[in-house]
Amino acid sequence: MKSPFQLPPDLSINSSPKRALSIMRRIWGGRGVFTCTIGNTLTSTIPGVSDAGDTPELTLFTPAADVELLFHGRTLCMDGLPINPGGIPTPATLTMAALGLSGMAVHVLNGGTKVKPHVPFYDMGGECGQDIRNGRALNNVRQSYEKGVMLGEMFSRDHDFLIASESCAGGTTTALAVMMAMGVLKENLVSSSSPKNPRELKSKIVSEALQAAGIELGGMSDRPLQAMECVGDPTMPANVGLVVGAARKIPVILGGGTQMCAILAGALAMDKGIEENLLLGTTRWMVNDPNSDICRIVEGIADIPIVSVNMDYGQSPYEGLQAYEWGYIKDGVGCGGSSVASILSTCGHIGCQQLLDRVHQEYRRMLNL
Amino acid sequence: MKSPFQLPPDLSINSSPKRALSIMRRIWGGRGVFTCTIGNTLTSTIPGVSDAGDTPELTLFTPAADVELLFHGRTLCMDGLPINPGGIPTPATLTMAALGLSGMAVHVLNGGTKVKPHVPFYDMGGECGQDIRNGRALNNVRQSYEKGVMLGEMFSRDHDFLIASESCAGGTTTALAVMMAMGVLKENLVSSSSPKNPRELKSKIVSEALQAAGIELGGMSDRPLQAMECVGDPTMPANVGLVVGAARKIPVILGGGTQMCAILAGALAMDKGIEENLLLGTTRWMVNDPNSDICRIVEGIADIPIVSVNMDYGQSPYEGLQAYEWGYIKDGVGCGGSSVASILSTCGHIGCQQLLDRVHQEYRRMLNL
């Protein structure tokens, strides 16, 4: 018997409270499946764009390493943990904790990668994305989208809800480009895994990308797949399809920050009818970021609830984790969405304290502390 | 509330009744997941070996077409249905009925194919297999096996049981070769999708294969992956891993005929501890085949229950289906295993009559009858 729904104290509703409660009630005590769509875009190797990796070249290893962590608790395609410069560990550390505590299954979608993980993954038919400044970033977008739809429908057959997430370095830049092409975003409000969000550099890259593709601001408002083909990254068409296919039947948590907003915009442009099944699940760090504005981005797309988990690493004994409080990382690999899901699916039996303890335990194990 | 277990009249137990009942009780009313591992081996293009395709070349399209049927109800990689010479339709027609009626989800593992289906599939790291007469049939067997184990473990997190199956033309020949290399089979007892089982041809190919690989009968009794690397097909390492990974926690129905016996032997050689979670689910056609002996094959491997579904196409108005009563097809694409599973998971609410009606309905739709 599951206990009656009540809003867990470790979750905050940041928009659309009525819809948020309706979706959370449906997820309460339910059986969910966590998915992570990985991809590489050469955009992440432009110096200064992405901090999701110790060096520009290592950003291409981060997605594969992230999902290896989710399966094995350690990386196989590279040594050590994926880190930001300065040694700040990947948000997959929190995702691992949420999945480990809740027992939820994880399935990996490979949207298109240069570095392949040693885990089983769904081949979505895509390839590593080109530097978006070419204006021709992706191949096979329609195929990836269609496979995503089929897979989302399949997961909806035997799960009560689904979490969609991503690991793709450079993904906030491609998200900005796609959202500007679609016209849901008119200024650069996207986040960064660095507290020094390189906004000017990103805006410049996006301008060049849109110009190379011959796209005006909002010129592709009803053509999200074409926008992605020109200036997106390879997680996008697969993830949009997955969300559409699943949300036709079950609630879907878009797990992530401003990067997942491009998926939200794309999915609603493909099928407006899924709106009442979508919720954005993220972290307190993301919602409170002074250098981005996820609430305003979502406002520009649709009336979609944003629910955040109130994780706080301020008292953590580990500097790598404390750095999350200084504006590093914020979200990624569905760490916020999986935390929200683990709290709801266990009827609140899991909370921030258990998540924090588990993160510490995993962190010590992985770093031999 | 699920009704108490009783053996449904449409199922027959052909061996190990005590274990059969124990496993069926655990599956009763449960939530299962159906998987199909596809692969190509050039062995199927040796004229006369495989009837799973209208011509030797078309045998390479059959696996992709089969799983497209499961997803779309029609084929995309080729025109029409995969048929045996004479127009006898693929057993996927029955699998479709079982999955459609029960609502079970299907996930496709690509063990290694030349022809890729237009469905989302798990990339298991393998490639199309060589003609086994080379004695070096497969690459990456360890990787495929390990990914299979991970995936099986993952499915066991949120399902009560799993069905493993295959679509790989030429697969009874490769199964014979692997089982002889492992020493679990000493004479040619494997089945064929033709009523005129080309036993001499298969035995000759297997002799040549074993000789080319330098393997004596039983020379690889404890090295199933190496046996598969030399003389197997690419569904095998992935499927063996899947079965091992899942059966460490939940019951697994090996859905198929003599082809799946090689998977059974391989899985038990990798992990003897899973024995009490394995059941072979097949059809009346397979168990009654006068030209093969699945019961004796299984006896030579372990004390594993064989449960068959009593489908009878004798009164079907369609000659293509009646042909199943004349010794064509018998099993494949997990048609027997998915039927057994649909009956058990619905507590007997589905039976042979419903399956037959649905097969007829799908058959008429697909052939525009």
Side-chain angles (χ1 to χ4, degrees), chain A residues 31-33 70-72 76 99 103-108 116-124 142-143 146-148 150-151 154-155 157-160, chain B residues 31-33 70-72 76 99 103-108 116-124 142-143 146-148 150-151 154-155 157-160:
Chain A
R31 178 178 342 207
V33 59
L70 301 187
F71 270 80
H72 307 294
L76 297 165
L99 298 179
M104 229 174 332
V106 48
H107 291 273
V108 173
K116 307 219 178 315
H118 188 62
V119 306
F121 53 77
Y122 264 105
D123 179 340
M124 305 305 284
R142 172 60 63 173
Q143 183 192 143
E146 287 176 356
K147 288 188 171 178
M150 295 178 223
L151 198 54
M154 206 46 83
F155 283 126
R157 289 196 193 173
D158 54 7
H159 293 91
D160 303 314
Chain B
R31 179 180 339 210
V33 58
L70 301 187
F71 270 80
H72 306 295
L76 298 165
L99 297 179
M104 231 176 328
V106 49
H107 291 272
V108 173
K116 307 222 178 310
H118 187 62
V119 306
F121 54 77
Y122 264 105
D123 179 339
M124 305 304 285
R142 171 61 61 176
Q143 184 192 142
E146 286 177 357
K147 288 188 172 178
M150 294 178 225
L151 198 53
M154 206 47 83
F155 284 127
R157 288 195 195 174
D158 54 7
H159 293 90
D160 302 314

Side-chain angles (χ1 to χ4, degrees), chain B residues 14 22 25 77 82 158 188 260 270 304:
Chain B
N14 305 281
S22 154
R25 266 177 213 284
C77 68
D158 54 7
N188 182 348
M260 290 301 287
M270 295 304 288
I304 297 293

